[in-house]
Amino acid sequence: MRLPSRDRLHGSPLTDAGLALLNPALALHPALVALDLGDCMLGDEAINLICGLLPPDGAKSGLKELTLSANPGITPKGWSRLAIAVAHSSQVRVLNLDYNPLGDHVAGMLAVAVASSRTLEVLDLEGTGLTNQSAQTLLDMVENYPTALRSLVLAENSISPELQQQICDLLSEGEEEEELAGGAGDAQQPDRGRGPAAQPSWVCPGEPSSQMVLMTSGLGDSLLAETEM
């Protein structure tokens, strides 16, 4: 079965029943790494199927990028199950949950998932009904637990610019420490040429945009059936 591209699924009225029909093909795809189901009228039953594409550590290959933007039919019970799957996945790197009514309770569960994950680098929570309460939880997580997280999108939430700036600064410090550690390693090896410099992940409050803006540097341009060579 030939899988459709992202453009044909994002925004389509797929519903849980439609995803159930697609699920066998998705589960058997030998190299599926990105799945965009944004604005597809999904609910908790769909989350149960999606969690099967996020196998626990080393079980089998699974998704590296998952987009579930604008699916308000998913309840906190569904999000909690997704958070558990993300926490135990050994591969997911990008999670886009923007424009869902998550609220502070679900954000707290996601913070635990991020703290547990060894691979999650990008989390998009734009327009998800968060307040300073969940921002403080996320700040404590970033400050006190080593994570792989490099980009956290919090635009269009009721979060103070000061808290956003603090989170931004901590993530930036983590990136700088990684770069310094990598530079020390490079100094011990012969120069074999370097690729182009990586694009910055953040535009912090106080710069031309007053909110944190994620520049995905190509991570967000995947297709549903993106495969690894």
Side-chain angles (χ1 to χ4, degrees), residues 38-62:
D39 196 16
C40 283
M41 301 174 62
L42 303 181
D44 290 355
E45 289 302 316
I47 290 293
N48 293 339
L49 299 172
I50 291 165
C51 288
L53 303 175
L54 300 171
D57 292 349
K60 61 179 180 178
S61 61

Side-chain angles (χ1 to χ4, degrees), residues 7-36:
D7 290 340
R8 292 176 61 188
L9 278 182
H10 189 110
S12 65
L14 187 63
T15 73
D16 292 1
L19 184 61
L21 292 175
L22 278 178
N23 189 61
L26 296 173
L28 293 175
H29 195 288
L32 182 69
V33 295
L35 182 62
D36 186 343

Side-chain angles (χ1 to χ4, degrees), residues 14-205:
L14 187 63
T15 73
D16 292 1
L19 184 61
L21 292 175
L22 278 178
N23 189 61
L26 296 173
L28 293 175
H29 195 288
L32 182 69
V33 295
L35 182 62
D36 186 343
L37 296 172
D39 196 16
C40 283
M41 301 174 62
L42 303 181
D44 290 355
E45 289 302 316
I47 290 293
N48 293 339
L49 299 172
I50 291 165
C51 288
L53 303 175
L54 300 171
D57 292 349
K60 61 179 180 178
S61 61
L63 293 176
K64 293 183 178 179
E65 178 181 351
L66 175 61
T67 296
L68 290 171
S69 313
N71 281 292
I74 300 172
T75 71
K77 180 179 179 181
W79 292 124
S80 66
R81 177 156 189 179
L82 179 69
I84 293 169
V86 169
H88 290 281
S89 169
S90 60
Q91 298 176 59
V92 65
R93 294 168 52 205
V94 179
L95 183 60
N96 299 313
L97 303 180
D98 47 312
Y99 299 106
N100 285 295
L102 303 182
D104 292 332
H105 178 63
V106 172
M109 293 187 288
L110 291 171
V112 174
V114 172
S116 302
S117 172
R118 298 192 300 271
T119 59
L120 189 65
E121 298 177 359
V122 178
L123 177 61
D124 187 348
L125 298 177
E126 180 175 359
T128 50
L130 308 189
T131 70
N132 285 345
Q133 177 183 332
S134 53
Q136 187 63 57
T137 301
L138 292 164
L139 175 63
D140 292 343
M141 180 269 297
V142 172
E143 189 171 22
N144 296 307
Y145 297 92
T147 74
L149 193 67
R150 297 174 60 191
S151 298
L152 177 61
V153 185
L154 295 173
E156 297 190 34
N157 286 295
S158 299
I159 297 174
S160 70
E162 292 78 14
L163 275 174
Q164 292 195 45
Q165 184 69 59
Q166 285 180 273
I167 295 171
C168 176
D169 290 345
L170 285 170
L171 288 174
S172 297
E173 286 173 12
E175 267 194 90
E176 289 171 4
E177 290 173 2
E178 287 181 8
E179 289 172 2
L180 288 173
D186 291 343
Q188 299 173 7
Q189 297 186 15
D191 185 2
R192 298 176 182 172
R194 293 188 178 93
Q199 296 286 336
S201 296
W202 289 92
V203 177
C204 295

